[in-house]
Structures are given as structure tokens and as C-alpha cells.
């Protein structure tokens, strides 16, 4: 289009738009995203002139348009379902049914006891065994998990970081006993421990020895398992904890750089391991931002890897798995989640993911049922087989808006990465607490916008359903699973050569102490001899100890971001009235029990309640009910707030109430929140729980309800 005609057309558009809007739709920003990126109403070819990269093609550096030249027209993305629950036998049955129905790869979810390196008979995992994932105590469980699933043909992804050594070793030994060699195995082990210290918290050891474990795995896998991905650098959990797209990009890419440098410092060549690194991003509801995020990630990773002078093009090619958001799923009106997941899945595909997991619509209530899992899987099959999407490579290439948005993400993420580098890299940044604090602040700001209705969530703060239909929820009998696991453990310990096991475990302890020896190779030896996950973890814990993250909180962010300050003031006045009557402000202990480290909700509640005037104590993670009660008594709290995400609420809260009675402290009120199925509400209230807050509860409303419960009990 000639320049004069284009300018004339633009002026004509502005005139027409102005009359329609009753104002001036100038080229200035109309609104800002959570990332503080200015978004205009209209983009034109002039915006393409501001790009820092020139026109590119799929499969060619800098890979903005995709890592492969033909993308889905040559090979469709892999359909994965992240699943695991109860026993290995139950999960195996679920896997085989899904594979028969069109699923192409497995993504294994482990229970929290396994993540934290505890055997199922450990006293600290009473409410965690078989909840939120499958219980794996030894190679015998792993063999059952993959029974009749040929590991030389099936790509297997395992989300494991804390107990990564015994779990990966168990997978390798399982394959051996199937007759499958290590070099035949394909798939991914997450092995991204740095992000655990930022958000998910399923770590075991301190940061430095944890990085050594990651390095040993990269080295071993690069040598013996050429088809296997040794690290899946995870932005997903950062997003789930509240990170913006900029934070997710900068911190996950920073983590990737740290793993690369760890391998390089061991004398490894970049081309010997970089082609088998992969990423894992979360996909939320900001449709265009999520597409741009994947495009920006490929550009930035390509640029960062050039520092190490790669010779292979694959070394600087970012490949990624994606998962639709779990946080965006709502307990209220849950069938809306089918639409949310579809939108997020479409964004991942249009952004160029290599594999995808779609969450089930009922995961804000509990583990997926067979029905909800089928719908989630069929969502991808419909996108692949009915929508015609694979026929065109990167349809957003050249889009005025998409290219401009990708550029904005590149620039903003590069700025944050530079701050990380100035701190000395991600390990130093994590130790300083900077990433964790930034993510928690973002989560608090967003929650304030949702609670006030500035960010609309259909069915939560707008268009609420008056008569919600009940939804079937999968329920796991935690006690039965634990008893079955303990029975298996006793059998294994009885039938093995204990002297041989002790020898291999001592070798692991010695390697941790001296720094000599590959920890994965030594773990494989121990697992072959039937050492358990807990025993392998303990062998290293003897030297390194268990890491306890410092308890930190932010203040002022929630209240500062809340648009309606009058509503905040009203709650503060009610708290002042309570203080006048009782003699002090209401004091709450916010706690998570068991091995669930997902603390976004707990941290947001803690900072919001503090901003509104409560005295707030935050219990350390991974507490037993006895420890929570003891700390609550010592701190003289009025109320204990239990945050639950991993389905252990029935077992753990029942035990908590029992301990309160034993300590004659039933005057301490107990409230609960998180992912708690509505069908469990009556049970919890029968135990004496005063209030239950499901996902989507506005925090000022929750604060008022807690105050009301205290007026009754005090």
C-alpha cells in the first residue's frame, strides 16, 4: 500500500473509531497487561519496523516461528496427560486405557511423599500417600506402574525434582528388567530443582548439593541415554504460583542458563547435552500473551546459548512441553473450565508447543475422573483432527500485533534476566529470595484485582450460577493406599540382601561427602538391590541434611492493589472493634500440613489478612498436625487457617482437631481453604471446622467470616 494512501486510511480509521467510541482512539496505550506492557487498540505495519529481529522462517534461527521447519504439518504435537493417583496398579490401568484411546505419551504425577523422598511408612506422610499422584516406594512399584507398557516404544515424562535420583534410577532399572537398554529410553525427567526453591517447594536438600544432583543427571544421561531429556526447565510452576509472563520467561530461562553452566563447568561440551534440554511452560487465559510467550522464549534461548559457541543448530533450539493452567480452573460452575482449557490449549498450539497436557475440568475439586480425563484428552484430538490447525505453520507470523507483543516480551524479559545476572545467576538470586518475592507480589496484586472484579472470572465474580450442578469427584482412600504400600515395603525389605543394600547406600553417602562419583549411577546400583526411595534419599540426607526454607512474607501489596479502599477500611474497622473488645488484634496461624509445598494460596491469604489488620503467623512448610498445634499454642493465636491443595485435608484436619482436644485448646478456631470438594464440607464441619473457603472466595469476605467465627468462640 503506498505510504500516502496508508496514512490517509489511518486518519480515516481514527475519525471513524473516534465517532464510535465518543473519544479519541489515539495510538497511545489503551490498557496495560499484568506484565505492565502497554497494549494499543490497533496495530499496523509501522509496528513491525520496531522489531529487534528481522523476518524469519520456522526451523531457522532465531526460531520465533517454531523449532522445526514443517511444525505440525510434518509431525503433530504429542498428546500427553499428566496423571497418577493411588497405587501403581490403579495408575497403570488408567494409563493403558488412555493410550488405547489416543494418548501418545505418558506424564507421570507422583504423590507428595515420593516427591519429598519419604517411604509410605514414614510418620510425616500420613495424609499424603497416594494423594495428588501415585505412590512409588521402590522399583517394584515402578514395574507395576509400567506393566504392559513397552518402554522402548513409549515416551515417558516424569515430574520429579526432589527425589529425582531414586525415581529416575527406578525407571531405568524397570526398563532393564523389561529387557530395554538405557540408550533406547525416550522421554523427560524434570530435574529442575531451582524452581522448587522459588515456588513449588518439593525440594529435599539445600540449593548447592541439589545443583550437583542436577549436574550428575545431565552428565549421566548425556553419556548413556542419548534419546532422553535430562532436564525440563519449568516455567509452569512459576506461573501457577502467580508469576507474570515476563517473570516466567526470565526466571525459567535463567534456571536453564544455570544448568548449562553447571554442565560446562564439569568440562562438558555444549553440544553434548544442550540438544536434550527441554522447557515446560504454563498456558493461562491471556490468549495472545501466551502465544507471544512461547515465541519470545525461543528467541531468547537461542540468543543466550550463543555465549557457549554451539556448533549444532539443535543446541540453541528451544523445545517445550506445555500444560494448561490449573490455577485458572474454578470450583464454582466447573463446566466453564472445559472452555478455559480449550482456549489455553489453542494458545499453546498456535505458540508452537511440541507436546501438550490439557487439564480436566474438575481438577479444582479433586483428581480427574475417567469422564473428565476423556474430555480433556478429546479437546486435543479435536484440535488436531477437526480444526485444521496442523495444516498451516505459525499462522501468527507477520501479525502486526503478535510480532509487536513478542518483541515487548523479549525486551522486558531480557531486563529481568539482566537483574538476575547481576546477582550472580539464578542460584544466587534464589538464595537472595528475589524471584520468590517478586512472584508472590504479583500473585497478591492479581488476587486483589479478582476480588474487586477488575479481572473478570465468569462464574466467580461475574455471571454467577444460582444453582450449580453437583460434579462427580474422584475420591482416594488414603488409608487403604498407605496400608497397601506398607505391606509391599515389608515384603521388599524381608526378601532382599540387606548387606548388599547397605553397601550401595554407604557408597552414596560417601559420594555425597567427598564429591566424587556420579550420584545417578550409584543410585541405580542401590535401586537394583531393592533399596527404597526413602533409603536412597536418607543416604544423602545424612551428609546434606533436609533444607528448611526461611519463612518470608510480603506486606502492603494486596491492600495497595485493591481498587475499593473503602471495602478494606470496613474490614480494618471491624478488626479494630474486635481488638477493643478482646484486648488485642485477632491472630491467625496460616499453615499447610503434610508434604504439600504449593503455597500460593497460603501466602496470598497471609499477606492480605495482615494488610487488613490481622496479626499473622506463617507456619513452616511440611508440618505435622502436632507441630501446627504446638506452634499455635505458643503463639497464642485465635484461629488456625489450614490451606489444602493436595487432597489430604480429611486425614490431616481430623488429626489436627484431635490434637487440639488433647491439648485442651479447642478454643482455637479452625478454618480451611483451598481445593476441598464441596461433598467434604459437612465432614469437616462435623469435626468442628468453623469456615471453609473454596477457590474463588473474595479475601475481604473471608476475613469478615473469620471474624464472625471468632466473635462466636471468644
Amino acid at each position: 500500500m503506498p505510504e500516502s494512501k496508508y496514512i490517509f486510511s489511518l486518519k480515516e480509521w481514527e475519525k471513524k473509531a473516534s465517532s464510535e467510541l465518543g473519544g479519541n482512539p489515539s495510538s497511545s496505550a489503551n490498557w496495560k497487561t499484568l506484565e505492565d506492557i502497554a497494549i494499543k487498540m490497533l496495530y499496523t505495519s509501522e509496528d513491525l519496523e520496531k522489531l529487534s529481529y528481522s523476518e524469519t522462517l520456522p526451523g531457522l534461527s532465531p526460531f520465533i516461528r517454531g523449532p522445526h521447519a514443517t511444525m505440525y504439518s510434518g509431525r503433530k504435537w504429542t498428546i500427553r496427560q499428566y496423571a497418577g493417583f493411588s497405587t501403581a496398579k490403579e495408575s497403570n490401568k488408567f494409563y493403558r486405557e488412555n493410550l488405547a484411546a489416543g494418548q501418545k505419551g505418558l506424564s507421570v504425577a507422583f504423590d507428595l511423599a515420593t516427591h519429598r523422598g519419604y517411604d509410605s511408612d514414614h510418620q510425616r506422610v500420613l495424609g499424603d500417600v497416594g494423594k495428588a499422584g501415585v505412590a512409588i516406594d521402590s522399583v517394584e512399584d515402578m514395574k507395576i506402574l509400567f506393566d504392559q507398557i513397552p518402554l522402548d516404544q513409549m515416551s515417558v515424562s516424569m515430574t520429579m525434582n526432589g527425589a529425582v535420583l531414586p525415581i529416575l534410577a527406578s525407571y531405568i532399572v524397570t526398563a532393564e528388567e523389561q529387557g530395554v537398554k538405557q540408550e533406547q529410553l525416550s522421554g523427560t525427567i524434570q530435574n529442575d530443582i531451582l524452581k522448587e526453591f522459588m515456588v513449588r517447594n518439593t525440594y529435599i536438600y539445600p540449593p548447592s548439593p541439589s545443583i550437583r544432583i542436577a549436574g550428575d543427571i545431565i552428565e549421566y544421561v548425556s553419556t548413556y541415554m542419548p534419546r532422553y531429556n535430562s532436564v525440563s526447565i519449568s516455567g509452569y510452576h512459576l506461573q501457577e504460583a502467580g508469576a507474570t509472563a515476563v517473570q516466567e520467561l526470565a526466571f525459567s530461562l535463567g534456571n536453564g542458563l544455570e544448568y548449562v553452566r553447571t554442565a560446562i563447568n564439569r568440562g562438558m561440551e555444549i553440544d553434548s547435552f544442550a540438544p536434550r534440554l527441554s522447557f515446560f511452560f504454563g498456558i493461562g487465559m491471556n490468549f495472545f500473551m501466551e502465544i507471544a510467550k512461547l515465541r519470545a522464549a525461543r528467541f531468547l534461548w537461542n540468543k543466550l546459548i550463543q555465549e557457549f559457541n554451539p556448533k549444532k543448530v539443535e543446541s540453541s533450539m528451544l523445545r517445550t512441553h506445555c500444560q494448561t493452567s490449573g490455577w485458572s480452573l474454578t470450583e464454582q460452575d466447573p463446566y466453564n473450565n472445559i472452555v478455559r482449557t480449550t482456549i489455553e490449549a489453542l494458545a499453546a498450539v498456535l505458540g508452537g508447543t511440541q507436546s501438550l497436557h490439557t487439564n480436566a475440568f474438575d481438577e479444582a475439586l479433586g483428581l480427574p475422573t475417567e469422564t473428565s480425563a476423556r474430555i480433556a484428552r478429546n479437546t486435543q484430538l479435536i484440535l488436531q483432527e477437526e480444526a485444521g490447525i496442523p495444516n498451516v505453520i505459525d499462522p501468527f507470523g507477520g501479525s502486526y500485533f503478535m510480532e509487536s507483543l513478542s518483541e515487548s516480551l523479549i525486551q522486558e524479559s531480557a531486563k529481568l534476566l539482566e537483574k538476575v545476572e547481576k546477582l550472580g545467576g539464578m542460584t544466587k538470586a534464589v538464595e537472595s529470595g528475589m524471584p520468590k518475592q517478586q512472584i508472590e507480589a504479583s500473585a497478591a496484586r492479581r488476587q486483589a484485582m479478582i476480588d474487586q472484579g477488575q479481572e473478570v472470572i465468569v462464574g466467580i465474580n461475574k455471571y454467577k450460577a444460582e444453582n450449580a450442578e453437583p460434579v462427580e469427584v474422584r475420591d482416594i482412600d488414603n488409608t487403604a493406599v498407605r496400608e497397601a504400600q506398607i505391606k509391599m515395603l515389608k515384603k521388599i525389605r524381608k526378601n532382599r540382601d540387606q548387606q548388599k543394600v547397605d553397601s550401595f547406600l554407604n557408597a552414596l553417602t560417601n559420594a555425597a561427602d567427598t564429591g566424587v562419583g556420579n550420584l545417578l549411577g550409584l543410585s541405580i546400583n542401590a535401586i537394583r538391590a531393592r533399596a527404597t526411595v526413602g533409603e536412597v534419599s536418607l543416604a544423602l540426607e545424612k551428609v546434606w541434611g533436609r533444607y528448611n526454607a526461611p519463612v518470608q512474607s510480603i506486606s502492603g501489596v494486596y491492600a495497595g492493589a485493591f481498587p475499593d479502599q473503602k471495602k478494606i477500611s470496613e474490614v480494618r474497622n471491624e478488626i479494630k472493634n474486635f481488638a477493643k473488645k478482646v484486648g488485642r488484634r485477632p491472630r491467625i496461624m496460616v499453615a499447610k500440613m503434610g508434604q504439600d509445598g504449593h503455597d500460593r494460596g497460603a501466602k496470598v491469604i497471609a499477606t492480605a489478612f495482615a494488610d487488613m489488620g490481622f496479626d499473622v503467623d506463617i507456619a513452616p512448610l511440611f508440618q505435622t498436625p502436632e507441630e501446627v498445634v504446638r506452634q499455635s499454642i505458643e503463639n497464642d493465636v485465635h484461629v488456625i487457617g489450614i490451606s489444602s491443595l493436595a487432597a489430604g485435608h480429611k486425614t490431616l484436619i481430623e488429626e489436627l482437631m484431635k490434637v487440639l482436644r488433647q491439648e485442651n485448646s479447642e478454643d482455637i478456631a479452625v478454618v480451611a481453604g483451598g481445593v476441598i470438594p464441596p461433598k467434604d464440607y459437612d465432614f469437616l464441619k462435623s469435626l468442628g471446622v468453623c469456615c471453609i473457603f473454596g477457590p474463588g472466595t473474595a479475601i475481604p469476605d473471608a476475613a469478615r467470616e473469620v471474624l464472625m467465627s471468632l466473635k462466636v468462640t471468644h
Side-chain angles (χ1 to χ4, degrees), residues 79 138 161 216 248 294 308 607 640:
I79 298 173
S138 73
N161 301 283
D216 277 9
E248 183 183 1
L294 299 186
F308 308 101
T607 185
I640 299 172

Side-chain angles (χ1 to χ4, degrees), residues 186-199:
S186 64
T188 304
I189 187 75
Q190 193 161 96
N191 193 29
D192 178 9
I193 196 63
L194 282 171
K195 70 100 169 44
E196 299 293 334
F197 295 106
M198 281 189 265
V199 292

